[in-house]
Amino acid sequence: LTQYWDSVPMALFAVKAAKHGWNQAPVAAVISLGPWYTSPDSRPEYHHLSYPERAKQFRTDMEMALPSIRSFCAHDGPAAWRGCAVVTLGHCPQMKKTIFGSIARLTKESMRSLVTPKLRVIDLWTLTMELPDACVGGHQSPMSILWTWQVLLGGFCAQSPKQPALGKLAEFRGPRCTAAQNHHSKICSNHDRW
């Protein structure tokens, strides 16, 4: 929904104020920002900032958004049933600039004292660093996304008052492709036609 932290409160408010039932639905939120701070093409006022200054801006913007996130994800907020996850950047082997690791670290540091059963932080940087797969155009590969969703759904389902039935599994259907297969397989190349 957004590229920068300062738009997160507006996005969360839109869910709260929706007239189409979202305001009464048991929603969850996954919030993951950072790539646009590394190369702020859509925010000209950040172009002149050095990488350390962009990282500092990332933290400042995130800390300004955190009160809205905490309210949305509180025990009496819209995401009370499922909770929320603030997710660090995913790791790609081609991410050589130190700003990527800095943004992942700053996300964890900013969230450290705010974590609750309803507001979780997921260190996707570390999780995907161990994945023997590359990224696709700067984004997670389909296989990496499956890993991520397993973690996210595990957290959301564990917080739900309606626990999943024992022995039931989530099933993912369709191609589960690595980054290498993505560009060389007719089955896997449809990711851009969602």
Side-chain angles (χ1 to χ4, degrees), residues 9-169:
M10 181 178 59
L12 296 176
F13 176 77
V15 173
K16 283 185 196 180
K19 302 281 189 236
H20 303 289
W22 282 8
N23 58 340
Q24 299 299 316
V27 299
V30 178
I31 304 164
S32 180
L33 296 166
W36 289 98
Y37 286 88
T38 65
S39 180
D41 296 332
S42 61
R43 181 109 0 140
E45 61 270 29
Y46 289 179
H47 280 243
H48 73 282
L49 299 177
S50 66
Y51 283 145
E53 290 170 329
R54 287 182 198 171
K56 183 178 178 185
Q57 187 67 53
F58 172 88
R59 184 174 203 150
T60 299
D61 291 352
M62 181 180 181
E63 289 177 354
M64 295 295 289
L66 285 174
S68 294
I69 295 168
R70 289 177 68 192
S71 171
F72 190 88
C73 305
H75 67 88
D76 59 349
W81 272 37
R82 306 273 189 251
C84 301
V86 174
V87 183
T88 69
L89 285 173
H91 180 268
C92 293
Q94 56 270 51
M95 291 178 165
K96 303 293 185 201
K97 297 174 185 168
T98 58
I99 190 168
F100 293 106
S102 295
I103 285 178
R105 180 181 47 77
L106 290 170
T107 301
K108 291 188 299 185
E109 286 175 4
S110 295
M111 290 299 298
R112 187 166 287 136
S113 66
L114 304 176
V115 173
T116 70
K118 299 294 182 185
L119 179 57
R120 299 171 295 282
V121 64
I122 296 174
D123 185 1
L124 191 58
W125 181 263
T126 302
L127 176 69
T128 54
M129 189 179 288
E130 300 302 320
L131 183 66
D133 198 17
C135 290
V136 180
H139 298 277
Q140 290 179 269
S141 71
M143 186 168 64
S144 177
I145 290 171
L146 285 177
W147 278 29
T148 303
W149 274 109
Q150 288 178 34
V151 173
L152 290 170
L153 291 173
F156 294 145
C157 292
Q159 294 305 315
S160 175
K162 296 180 181 177
Q163 294 293 310
L166 280 175
K168 299 294 181 188
L169 300 174

